Amino acid sequence: ARERLGPRLDDCLGRLSTAARMLVDLRYDQELPVQEIAQRLGRSPSAISVALFRIRDQLRDCLGPEIAG
């Protein structure tokens, strides 16, 4: 799926705020657990989880029908 969505996903990631891209990097590229991200950023784990949920929602909206098939 990543190969198929690569360029489009990169475009959608580029539309995110700097803070959102940093969270995506920490969680999915560096594979850090939410708890560790929260500690590093001085935020609660629930705040990080909510932020990641909203980011995934933004990415789904941006990718649209491309992720359905």
Side-chain angles (χ1 to χ4, degrees), residues 16-33:
L16 296 174
S17 69
T18 302
R21 283 194 307 272
M22 180 186 63
L23 284 176
V24 168
D25 177 64
L26 291 170
R27 180 69 183 108
Y28 300 106
D29 293 335
Q30 297 184 37
E31 300 180 352
L32 295 178

Side-chain angles (χ1 to χ4, degrees), residues 1 11 15 22 25 28 31-32 37 40 57 60 64 66 68:
D11 178 56
R15 295 173 188 227
M22 180 186 63
D25 177 64
Y28 300 106
E31 300 180 352
L32 295 178
I37 296 169
R40 286 184 181 200
D57 222 25
R60 267 191 296 276
E66 294 183 36

